[in-house]
Amino acid sequence: MTKIAILVDEMNAMAQLHELGVKGIRPWSQFYKAIEEHFTTTKTPAECHFYCANIPEKLDSQRHHLREGFFKALIRDGITVHKGFAVLDRNKRLIEKGVDVLLSLDLVDLSLEGFDEIIVFSADGDIVPAIQRARANGAIVKAVLSFTMPAGNIAESVDEIIRLKDVLKFIPSIHLLELKNPNMKESVVA
């Protein structure tokens, strides 16, 4: 049986979606379903992973609890949630930490566990060494990328590129939340 895993880097995925005029996908299980049904070599159910960070409760309790509710909804949909952490930088901006490392570790671990295909929704070049290691371990690694974020080093390191716009065509429009006044050339949301 073919083993497949789909790994989504939330912050990177959201940046790519926003570039296409999509505010979000509700529920996220629709994204994983589209990948499984249209961009894998088998109809075997995939392991679904979501990499994210939460706002520290002491900084914003309300937003923290909203995010925790979102994570619980992902888990109810069968998606494994991996949380890094968030800190304030010296300019008092909230930044996530540890997410790329968690995703990279899982990329390598999944390849060692015999996963045949690993699909990554991220354009973050920090994960390139993990992609190379996973491929060296025998896994086929694919990346979901938008045209607006070509991520050349990722594109060069994977076996196949899946265009985000192509994935979104397989997600019913009722599950795609449109951005108000998006800064992009064309929208994928009807």
Side-chain angles (χ1 to χ4, degrees):
M1 175 165 48
T2 303
K3 292 171 72 175
I4 299 164
I6 304 168
L7 288 60
V8 174
D9 174 348
E10 179 189 24
M11 293 302 289
N12 199 280
M14 294 309 296
Q16 290 189 60
L17 287 166
H18 290 175
E19 286 288 325
L20 294 175
V22 177
K23 181 179 181 181
I25 301 169
R26 190 168 293 143
W28 263 97
S29 57
Q30 290 294 314
F31 173 83
Y32 294 95
K33 180 180 175 184
I35 293 289
E36 284 179 24
E37 292 180 359
H38 301 284
F39 299 97
T40 62
T41 59
T42 181
K43 299 306 174 206
T44 304
E47 272 195 20
C48 302
H49 298 265
F50 194 83
Y51 299 83
C52 53
N54 199 354
I55 298 151
E57 188 172 15
K58 64 183 179 183
L59 290 180
D60 189 333
S61 178
Q62 183 180 4
R63 285 178 56 201
H64 173 85
H65 290 291
L66 283 172
R67 297 268 304 151
E68 286 299 318
F70 169 62
F71 301 147
K72 287 177 184 171
L74 291 170
I75 293 165
R76 278 193 304 274
D77 285 341
I79 300 165
T80 303
V81 175
H82 306 270
K83 289 189 232 175
F85 56 97
V87 297
L88 291 174
D89 69 7
R90 65 175 165 246
N91 296 319
K92 304 293 185 209
R93 290 179 304 192
L94 205 56
I95 56 172
E96 69 174 23
K97 291 290 189 184
V99 174
D100 297 336
V101 174
L102 289 170
L103 190 147
S104 293
L105 289 168
D106 282 352
L107 250 169
V108 174
D109 284 350
L110 291 167
S111 71
L112 291 170
E113 292 170 18
F115 276 75
D116 303 287
E117 288 182 46
I118 304 170
I119 299 148
V120 180
F121 186 8
S122 178
D124 191 328
D126 288 345
I127 68 170
V128 167
I131 290 171
Q132 293 168 336
R133 182 73 53 93
R135 289 184 68 215
N137 291 338
I140 294 170
V141 181
K142 302 177 183 180
V144 177
L145 299 170
S146 70
F147 281 111
T148 58
M149 295 179 85
N153 53 352
I154 292 230
E156 292 169 3
S157 66
V158 296
D159 294 292
E160 182 181 333
I161 297 168
I162 300 168
R163 290 295 172 194
L164 177 56
K165 198 167 192 173
D166 294 336
V167 176
L168 295 176
K169 290 176 187 175
F170 293 105
I171 299 174
S173 61
I174 61 167
H175 299 293
L176 300 175
L177 308 174
E178 189 170 7
L179 275 175
K180 304 287 187 239
N181 303 317
N183 291 331
M184 80 285 159
K185 294 179 182 161
E186 67 180 294
S187 175
V188 296
V189 181

